[in-house]
Amino acid sequence: MTSEIHIQYFAILRDERGCSEETLSTEAKNAAELYEELQKEHGFRLSQQDLKVAINDEFTSWQTPLQTKDKVVFIPPVTGG
Amino acid sequence: MTSEIHIQYFAILRDERGCSEETLSTEAKNAAELYEELQKEHGFRLSQQDLKVAINDEFTSWQTPLQTKDKVVFIPPVTGG
Amino acid sequence: MFSISSEKIMARNLQDSLNNPKAGALVTFEGWVRNLNEGKEVQFLEYEVYPALANKEGQRILEEAQEKFDILGLVCVHRSGGLKVGEMAVWVGVTSVHRGPAFEACQYIIDEVKARVPIWKKEHYVSGDSGWVECHHCAQHVH
Amino acid sequence: MFSISSEKIMARNLQDSLNNPKAGALVTFEGWVRNLNEGKEVQFLEYEVYPALANKEGQRILEEAQEKFDILGLVCVHRSGGLKVGEMAVWVGVTSVHRGPAFEACQYIIDEVKARVPIWKKEHYVSGDSGWVECHHCAQHVH
């Protein structure tokens, strides 16, 4: 099953992706599969265990099933302060 | 032996003594004896172990021998901050 | 109580908002942009923020502090955008009746903000290089 | 670096004196006059100071902090004379490269100042009574 997902990129991921957001159709069932797919395509250097993931502006598990119109953000190690 | 000692009073001791400084002649050999003498005379409620003592603007021991012209201050528990 | 600011942080105004006749103690933390990081001379830096989640997570941290410690008021503001050396990146202020809880809460807030709030720092060096700071915990150079 | 002030403490000026491009952290403590102490409504208070020894002992405390903690700058000012509710009784500010030592040193300084510097507080209550505060340690109501 294909879902339409909105992705926002920040910091190093934005630089590596070359854009700050995109909408795409994916067969990934969850965020883990989605990151794997995108990492292959764009060569992101951070591995999944370095990241956290948010869906619809809340931290969530990598295994949460994706639903059409979800907004996904992969969160590199934070360095504020 | 009599020595001439200058005493400054602060806070509760100043209130109880009714003045902030005095110069007196005493046979007290050290600050402990001097406080005992003054406590008897003025009825200071604080006991020696509640106090610290300074001679010539430095904390010192109650047993330090007094010398003529010494400036003695008895220091009630401090409550700054 | 938690906010992201794209403008210079006005600490004195934030502090005035914490005035309270019951308070005996105010503890504040300010994070400043340093001129050196890991031996490299820093010229300026940029903070990138994921605003929707940063605000939620920042607010959660303040609520946790309020539950954990006996405090009266608390504020935290973090900058976004470009900052020069010496500028303020983050301000935390906490009031309490007695001083212990204000110290503990202030430290808790800045520790958690640095560990959890989705904000990323890119340093621009005098040499012309620049780079995303990798990870506070890994590199052990938290300020 | 340590001083007694008979005038309102100007925190912003003190803080400006700590500016340093090497510093990544500033921690400050402010002690404020509370409206309640041990259940009594406070109207104003007076600090009496033994100046010669207070300045020496305050300066010693700052020197100890400088030796114990990896810090860059430090300032402490304590008021003397009459203060109203809400006014600032004491200000401590410490800068460091990373934030840990600034927190530790700031707390050390205020703890030691309250325990060692010859300053005494007389509270004047709304009821008309007044009295010398007996002893922070004994009464366990340090702020």
Side-chain angles (χ1 to χ4, degrees), chain B residues 8-15 52 54-59 71-81, chain D residues 47-50 52-53 56-57 60 78 90 114-122 132-136 143:
Chain B
Q8 269 190 298
Y9 295 101
F10 291 100
I12 183 78
L13 288 175
R14 183 169 52 71
D15 284 1
K52 291 184 174 174
I55 297 180
N56 302 329
D57 300 331
E58 277 301 350
F59 288 112
K71 170 180 155 189
V72 175
V73 181
F74 302 110
I75 298 173
V78 304
T79 53
Chain D
Y47 282 108
E48 183 164 334
V49 178
Y50 171 9
L53 188 51
K56 277 188 200 173
E57 192 68 1
R60 267 193 287 258
H78 199 296
V90 56
K114 289 173 80 94
R116 292 163 47 188
V117 176
I119 299 175
W120 300 273
K121 175 160 55 181
K122 187 175 201 167
W132 293 100
V133 173
E134 295 246 319
C135 172
H136 282 312
H143 60 230

Side-chain angles (χ1 to χ4, degrees), chain D residues 59-78:
Chain D
Q59 195 56 41
R60 267 193 287 258
I61 289 166
L62 296 189
E63 282 160 17
E64 290 164 15
Q66 192 113 49
E67 273 174 34
K68 279 176 199 285
F69 307 105
D70 189 10
I71 56 182
L72 293 168
L74 71 187
V75 171
C76 178
V77 179
H78 199 296

Side-chain angles (χ1 to χ4, degrees), chain B residues 4-73:
Chain B
E4 190 167 287
I5 302 296
H6 185 73
I7 305 175
Q8 269 190 298
Y9 295 101
F10 291 100
I12 183 78
L13 288 175
R14 183 169 52 71
D15 284 1
E16 291 181 347
R17 176 62 188 86
C19 74
S20 55
E21 42 192 308
E22 65 180 330
T23 300
L24 51 75
S25 292
T26 178
E27 299 202 347
K29 286 194 293 296
N30 54 41
E33 289 184 19
L34 178 60
Y35 189 72
E36 205 187 328
E37 186 182 310
L38 292 164
Q39 194 179 20
K40 261 185 212 143
E41 195 173 334
H42 305 296
F44 297 148
R45 275 169 299 172
L46 289 166
S47 66
Q48 189 204 299
Q49 58 261 45
D50 296 327
L51 304 172
K52 291 184 174 174
V53 64
I55 297 180
N56 302 329
D57 300 331
E58 277 301 350
F59 288 112
T60 188
S61 139
W62 287 95
Q63 310 311 324
T64 306
L66 289 179
Q67 299 188 304
T68 269
K69 307 279 185 204
D70 273 351
K71 170 180 155 189
V72 175
V73 181

Side-chain angles (χ1 to χ4, degrees), chain D residues 78-90:
Chain D
H78 199 296
R79 277 293 308 274
S80 63
L83 281 85
K84 284 175 294 195
V85 169
E87 283 198 273
M88 201 192 302
V90 56

Side-chain angles (χ1 to χ4, degrees), chain C residues 67-99:
Chain C
E67 273 174 34
K68 280 175 200 284
F69 307 103
D70 188 11
I71 56 183
L72 293 169
L74 71 187
V75 171
C76 178
V77 179
H78 199 295
R79 276 295 307 275
S80 63
L83 282 86
K84 284 175 291 194
V85 169
E87 283 198 273
M88 201 191 304
V90 56
W91 192 87
V92 182
V94 183
T95 52
S96 55
V97 177
H98 303 301
R99 70 189 183 283

Side-chain angles (χ1 to χ4, degrees), chain C residues 7 15 54 99 103:
Chain C
E7 308 282 319
Q15 190 166 319
R99 70 189 183 283
F103 271 109

